[in-house]
Amino acid sequence: MNYPSAASGLKMMLIAQILNIVGSVVIVLGLILTVVTIGILFFIPLLGSLLVFAGGVVGLMGLFKASADDEGYRGALVFAGINVVVSALSGTLGENASILHALLLIVSSILTFLVVNTVCQTTGNLLHSMGKDDLAERGSTVSKLYLICTAVTVVCTLVGAIPVLGVLAGVVSFGSSIVSLVGYVLYLGFLYSGGRALEY
């Protein structure tokens, strides 16, 4: 038995993540170039933002497509949809309302974990039903890494709100970022491998 809709959805989610990565890099480079050229290349960060937006849309479409094979992906779709609203609110508030902004960042981190965890668990269950237990276990590893990183991020955000402990939170957050990067790479690999495995 195979799951073509889930396979296609995971591939779309992978494309969405790649668009997010490229968009984020373009935004950073664009901001640097905008400063260096005194605003002449102001459109480059806008292009990066469009890529990130496109990544978000493609990711939601991928979850919707995958849900045709398993309703577990619908849960991830709901979490992702709520996260879009929370992220938009957080971006609108900016740094003006620091406590509310920090709380929204925490909620967004938790929602991101819930999306990744639900995708990994649902995909793992499908892979397990196909007898591909080794690959299913990789999804479980990704979920555990994301859980640890989310917990550390939440603690660092809370501790960072206390001026005296801000430096300590920054150091711990840096270490967490490295682990998050590893988890993110493993997640991308899982989306790719899972998408291929569910087809055949």
Side-chain angles (χ1 to χ4, degrees):
M1 184 176 183
N2 60 353
Y3 301 94
S5 293
S8 177
L10 289 179
K11 288 176 183 175
M12 290 175 74
M13 284 181 249
L14 177 62
I15 291 169
Q17 296 301 320
I18 292 169
L19 284 171
N20 285 333
I21 293 168
V22 173
S24 298
V25 170
V26 170
I27 288 171
V28 171
L29 289 176
L31 290 173
I32 293 169
L33 289 172
T34 300
V35 171
V36 171
T37 62
I38 314 170
I40 295 172
L41 299 176
F42 69 93
F43 60 90
I44 295 179
L46 295 176
L47 176 63
S49 297
L50 286 173
L51 288 171
V52 171
F53 176 77
V57 172
V58 172
L60 291 173
M61 289 170 54
L63 286 168
F64 180 75
K65 175 102 175 160
S67 68
D69 277 342
D70 193 299
E71 290 199 14
Y73 292 111
R74 281 199 192 140
L77 181 59
V78 170
F79 294 137
I82 295 170
N83 199 13
V84 168
V85 175
V86 170
S87 296
L89 283 173
S90 176
T92 303
L93 290 173
E95 297 295 331
N96 297 334
S98 58
I99 294 173
L100 184 56
H101 182 69
L103 288 174
L104 288 172
L105 288 176
I106 289 170
V107 171
S108 182
S109 295
I110 292 169
L111 287 167
T112 299
F113 162 71
L114 291 173
V115 171
V116 171
N117 184 58
T118 306
V119 168
C120 288
Q121 282 191 351
T122 305
T123 305
N125 290 339
L126 295 178
L127 290 167
H128 182 68
S129 74
M130 298 172 75
K132 300 179 179 182
D133 297 332
D134 289 345
L135 189 51
E137 191 58 36
R138 280 174 50 192
S140 178
T141 301
V142 171
S143 287
K144 289 172 187 168
L145 274 174
Y146 263 82
L147 176 61
I148 293 166
C149 292
T150 301
V152 171
T153 300
V154 168
V155 170
C156 286
T157 304
L158 290 172
V159 171
I162 304 168
V164 179
L165 300 175
V167 175
L168 175 63
V171 172
V172 174
S173 182
F174 177 74
S176 172
S177 297
I178 295 170
V179 178
S180 295
L181 181 62
V182 172
Y184 189 66
V185 170
L186 290 175
Y187 181 56
L188 292 177
F190 182 68
L191 289 176
Y192 175 76
S193 302
R196 286 177 57 89
L198 291 175
E199 272 185 319
Y200 307 108

